[in-house]
Amino acid sequence: MIESGHVLNVSHLTVDYGNENTPALALRDVSLSVDPGEFVGLVGESGSGKSTLAYAILRLLHGGRVVEGSIEVSGQNVYELDSNHLRKFRWETVSMVFQGAMNSLNPVLTVEQHIFETIRAHDESVTLTALRSRTDELLDMVEIDKRRAQHYPHQLSGGMKQRVVIALAIALNPKLVIMDEPTTALDVVVQRAILDRIGEIQKRQRFAVLFITHDLSLVEQIAQTVSIMYAGKIVETTPVEQLLTGTLHHPYTRGLLNAIPELLEDNVAISSIPGHPPEITRLPSGCAFHPRCLYAKDECRMSPPILKLYAGSWIACERLPELEELYSDQ
Amino acid sequence: MKFVAQRFLFLLLSVWAAITINFFLPRMMPGNPAEVMLARYQGKLNPQALHALALQFGISHQPLWVQYWSYLISLLHGNLGVSVSYYPTPVTTVIAQSLPWTLALAGTATVISVVAGTWLGVISAWHRGTIVDDILPIATTVSSAIPYFWMALLLLYLFGFLLGWFPLGHAYSTIMVPSWSAGFVGNLLAHAILPLSTILISSLGGWLMSMRNNMLHILDDDFMTFGEARGLSSRRLVYIYAARNAILPNLTGFSMALGFVVSGALLTEIVFSYPGLGYQLFTAVENEDYPLMQGLFLIIALAVLLANFITELIYARLDPRVREE
Ligand SMILES: Nc1ncnc2c1ncn2[C@@H]1O[C@H](COP(=O)(O)OP(=O)(O)OP(=O)(O)O)[C@@H](O)[C@H]1O
Ligand SMILES: [Mg+2]
């Protein structure tokens, strides 16, 4: 499945956090690709495996194993890199804004030291002047005052730390930046500002983004493609316009779309879908969504559905052809 | 700079408090031990010495503040009274003679123990899940579970008595004349090895385990993974990321250990008859030598305070969060 042209190509990836006796499959047969410069949104409830996918791409799974499938970045299999190339691949090719960006910075180093060490780790001969001017440039890009360069993490607000982490993520001009819920811990105003900044920088620097969130409304405005994840599986991949124009979608996606107004008020429960996501150690048979699905039939309990192209979207649902009718009956 | 000045002021205040407590303590002891002691030395000491003792322990008709004032003045002159067990040697002289031994023995042992234990803790945590991390903590837990006193006796019996590899006690052989000759230095080292090993073996494990625990916490922190993700070298991750943060909670422990060097080697010094402060304290208690005890307590208190002060300065250098407060 070597499709050149993609910056990221994840194919049939399965990740297990369990042991031989009790498997805990956080990702099951996940396939996803990102084109150069593309902005892809990855949306799913808490525990659906979004962060696991992000860590798997950087080969940073602690306690988890890739049991099947492969991850290629620019045609290179990430899991075949030797340790030296892996160190360079991390950050020079793919960088990541962590979900816990508030705690991503070393408490005993200044903002500037973080930027310096990151660049130095990949370019030993870089001069101090070059480091300084690059730091100014990066801080400018994320709209942080130059004087903050000498500050320690505890002297910065949450939003500022987030911007510093973003500055670090783009410091080496990577081809792909993974952003794992980069704005979740922030208030709405700061969230908006940071999102706009990310959009602008991305247009200027032309890197691809894999943007992870549980909030569908957030990516609707910024992404080109959106993948929906449920219990470790991608249930739908669709161009963003299709979300707005209301074409046919997976029942779960449909639930998420209906949930958006409520999500804005308090982003806790997806109330339009009854029930809870399953535990990864006790997954339902067949389609993992079937216990919560209004349209589930016997065949949904049999075998897991695979993604099929239908009216411009990739959808994994046994009842795909009938969905149109089923929806209109309501 | 403001921080340093602030801490220094605090040091002065606590030194003053320690000195003041040292003044009042013998005056508040129940059952008036000072008079008991005086009675004991009646006839053994000359009247002048008895009078000096009486003054030092508050058996005086002068008002308290006058006594306090003259106590402060004599302290400023380095006068801590006269030892009764080494009569007529002044307490300051006794202390000045034993302090170097303690610093050399317990000081060296503590520094080695802290540095080596901490470093091994770092290594052990970094290689968690490997054989290194299986063996190190077990070995040191066993060694540190053995009490100082017992360890000292064990080493003394095995290597001093049974095998006869090392001398049984004292800092150097009495037939030697102190000098910087190779022979004498060798003799010093031979005498120091067993007590030094005792302190080292008994305390190293504690440093290892606490550093290892701190490290394991830090290794799970997000900033570690973020550092790894940025392609930082493992050297940098171990030392600048993990160890640098993990050492902070241990600094207070280091300062306590250094402060208590002065007294902490007590048992070891007793077993090996090593002429340090701990041994002197033991002698002082045995002979009810209150002036010497009082002097030793003061020195111990000052050492703890000073070590604390230095640690706070180091802490501030290592942890930016402390600096501004
Ligand atoms: N280190 C781990 N060991 C064991 N199980 C894990 C580990 N990390 C994650 N999991 C499990 O894998 C599943 C997916 O977790 P993951 O963190 O990828 O979800 P997520 O979609 O990022 O959720 P959130 O929105 O809460 O961040 C969860 O069931 C989680 O409990
Ligand atoms: Mg997550």
Side-chain angles (χ1 to χ4, degrees), chain B residues 1-8 309 312-313 315-317 322-325:
Chain B
M1 219 52 237
K2 190 171 148 248
F3 176 82
V4 178
Q6 205 182 356
R7 293 333 292 168
F8 187 69
F309 171 69
E312 272 173 350
L313 297 192
Y315 207 133
R317 270 216 67 78
V322 173
R323 229 166 288 163
E324 296 127 44
E325 281 161 20

Side-chain angles (χ1 to χ4, degrees), chain A residues 17-18 24-26 44-53 62-64 99 180-181 212 214 229 278-280:
Chain A
Y17 279 117
L25 300 179
E45 275 170 281
S46 184
S48 55
K50 309 180 295 291
S51 299
T52 301
L53 178 59
H62 292 307
Q99 185 163 5
D180 192 354
E181 313 224 14
I212 294 173
H214 61 257
M229 203 166 209
E279 302 251 343
I280 55 170

Side-chain angles (χ1 to χ4, degrees), chain B residues 279-320:
Chain B
Y279 185 69
Q280 294 303 356
L281 189 57
F282 177 64
T283 326
V285 172
E286 233 182 13
N287 299 324
E288 291 181 43
D289 187 348
Y290 286 97
L292 184 53
M293 271 190 256
Q294 212 188 1
L296 286 169
F297 286 143
L298 190 63
I299 290 293
I300 292 167
L302 294 187
V304 172
L305 291 175
L306 192 67
N308 234 325
F309 171 69
I310 294 171
T311 314
E312 272 173 350
L313 297 192
I314 296 176
Y315 207 133
R317 270 216 67 78
L318 290 183
D319 190 348

Side-chain angles (χ1 to χ4, degrees), chain B residues 181-193:
Chain B
S181 72
F184 185 72
V185 172
N187 190 267
L188 277 181
L189 289 179
H191 280 81
I193 278 188

Side-chain angles (χ1 to χ4, degrees), chain A residues 7-28:
Chain A
V7 58
L8 172 70
N9 190 34
V10 178
S11 64
H12 306 293
L13 187 73
T14 299
V15 169
D16 189 356
Y17 279 117
N19 47 40
E20 291 91 64
N21 306 326
T22 43
L25 300 179
L27 295 179
R28 294 175 298 134

